[in-house]
Amino acid sequence: MKVRRAAATLSGGALIAAAVVTGVATPAHALPDSCSISYGSDGSISSYCSTGTGYHQIVVSYCFVNPWVNYCGSDSGQKAPVGATSTVRPPGGGAIRGVTVLKSES
């Protein structure tokens, strides 16, 4: 009888401890994922992320092909939440060197 009571007390205590740990745990945060990049006919470049949480931002680096200009730079779109689009339109006349999607939790 004492063995049954001790086993019941231990298993009940384990369930309560598990419930307390689960109740205190913070939700997991996942960076934006399933991101795509699209190019508009007006020269704009956009990113769209459909899963995860947090924010994403499109960044475009470019260089002007005219040797007299001799300038390279980068532009970025607005920070957008998952499910929204971040868009940037780099200046005309520049050759696109790279497109990156920055991801952050906040």
Side-chain angles (χ1 to χ4, degrees):
M1 191 68 165
K2 287 184 180 182
V3 174
R4 283 187 186 170
R5 182 177 230 156
T9 302
L10 285 175
S11 64
L15 288 174
I16 291 171
V20 168
V21 169
T22 304
V24 174
T26 58
H29 293 284
L31 290 175
D33 199 15
S34 300
C35 299
S36 60
I37 297 171
S38 59
Y39 298 84
S41 59
D42 62 349
S44 63
I45 304 173
S46 302
S47 65
Y48 178 83
C49 299
S50 59
T51 62
T53 60
Y55 295 86
H56 64 97
Q57 184 177 27
I58 187 92
V59 178
V60 177
S61 59
Y62 56 88
C63 284
F64 286 96
V65 288
N66 182 343
W68 295 101
V69 175
N70 193 23
Y71 175 74
C72 292
S74 65
D75 282 338
S76 57
Q78 73 283 11
K79 207 180 235 192
V82 169
T85 303
S86 175
T87 304
V88 65
R89 187 171 180 199
I96 303 299
R97 296 188 60 170
V99 178
T100 306
V101 178
L102 298 179
K103 303 172 185 179
S104 65
E105 290 182 1
S106 58

